[in-house]
Amino acid sequence: MAILKSSWTYILGALIGAMAGYFYWRYVGCSTGTCPITASPIMSTMYGSIMGILLGGAFKKNNNIKISK
């Protein structure tokens, strides 16, 4: 449970990113099938989840910062 509590921003970012990647493939996609990311729903979903993890990590609060005088 502690792992879920400490990394909820990454998990939420991955879920939102995966949904965004899938919907991008579904509604925008690649009409010719030659686009490396958007030609496959699996690739666009994985790419979206990775981007979501990175973006979710940007909102993670860091409590280990020490300020010295």
Side-chain angles (χ1 to χ4, degrees):
M1 190 66 173
I3 293 173
L4 291 176
K5 188 175 182 180
S6 66
S7 60
W8 68 270
T9 57
Y10 297 116
I11 296 169
L12 184 65
L15 291 174
I16 292 172
M19 289 180 359
Y22 176 78
F23 287 130
Y24 186 82
W25 168 80
R26 178 77 172 106
Y27 295 110
V28 177
C30 183
S31 61
T32 61
T34 59
C35 309
I37 294 173
T38 59
S40 164
I42 294 171
M43 288 300 294
S44 64
T45 302
M46 286 193 316
Y47 184 77
S49 65
I50 291 171
M51 291 297 117
I53 288 170
L54 292 175
L55 188 64
F59 292 105
K60 181 118 174 101
K61 189 188 286 188
N62 189 359
N63 293 333
N64 296 333
I65 297 175
K66 294 181 181 179
I67 299 174
S68 62
K69 292 182 180 183

